[in-house]
Amino acid sequence: SAVVLTPLLRERWFGTLDALELRNYNKIWPRDLVSARHSHCDVESVEEVAARVQSLVLELEAEYEGKSIVFSSHADTLQIAQCYFAGADVRTFSMYRFRNGEVRELKRCPTSLPEPVPL
């Protein structure tokens, strides 16, 4: 087994809101539900996060075929990844919040997602 550190799983960039109090991110998440491409406040778009996670997944699947892979990252990145894997609309990622330390299996099926919880 190997531990791979990669910037492709880094926390989502929140532009001018980065490193501010969490409540400031509430200006972004409702916009995410409308557009996966928006970059209000210079935030990294949901689409950009999904693309970098997709790139990592393709790379790791090729290198570790038939192996189990564990991701550890920040909430937005993991929630966007789970929606991408499940084939769900990535704009809805914020409705599938992780609890601290929670582990979820990523499956390629929308029914694998937990019950959505609106913002």
Side-chain angles (χ1 to χ4, degrees):
S1 67
V3 174
V4 177
L5 302 177
T6 174
L8 295 175
L9 280 180
R10 67 172 168 70
E11 185 173 13
R12 180 183 184 190
W13 174 248
F14 271 87
T16 59
L17 302 176
D18 207 62
L20 298 180
E21 293 181 17
L22 184 62
R23 64 186 168 90
N24 288 293
Y25 295 2
N26 289 328
K27 298 173 183 174
I28 300 303
W29 293 320
R31 291 173 187 268
D32 292 336
L33 288 167
V34 175
S35 172
R37 293 181 177 159
H38 88 85
S39 58
H40 181 72
C41 294
D42 295 323
V43 69
E44 180 180 19
S45 75
V46 171
E47 201 171 71
E48 290 169 323
V49 176
R52 68 177 156 87
V53 169
Q54 177 188 27
S55 140
L56 176 64
V57 168
L58 293 174
E59 177 185 316
L60 293 177
E61 282 182 336
E63 187 172 343
Y64 298 101
E65 186 175 350
K67 306 270 181 173
S68 295
I69 299 170
V70 177
F71 290 154
S72 178
S73 186
H74 295 265
D76 280 17
T77 302
L78 291 174
Q79 289 158 187
I80 292 167
Q82 77 174 349
C83 285
Y84 163 74
F85 267 96
D89 186 340
V90 292
R91 294 176 305 164
T92 65
F93 79 90
S94 61
M95 295 170 45
Y96 302 102
R97 307 301 296 177
F98 276 81
R99 292 183 309 276
N100 286 342
E102 181 179 357
V103 175
R104 291 186 191 163
E105 184 175 3
L106 300 178
K107 296 183 178 181
R108 297 192 185 271
C109 175
T111 59
S112 68
L113 294 171
E115 286 296 315
V117 178
L119 283 175

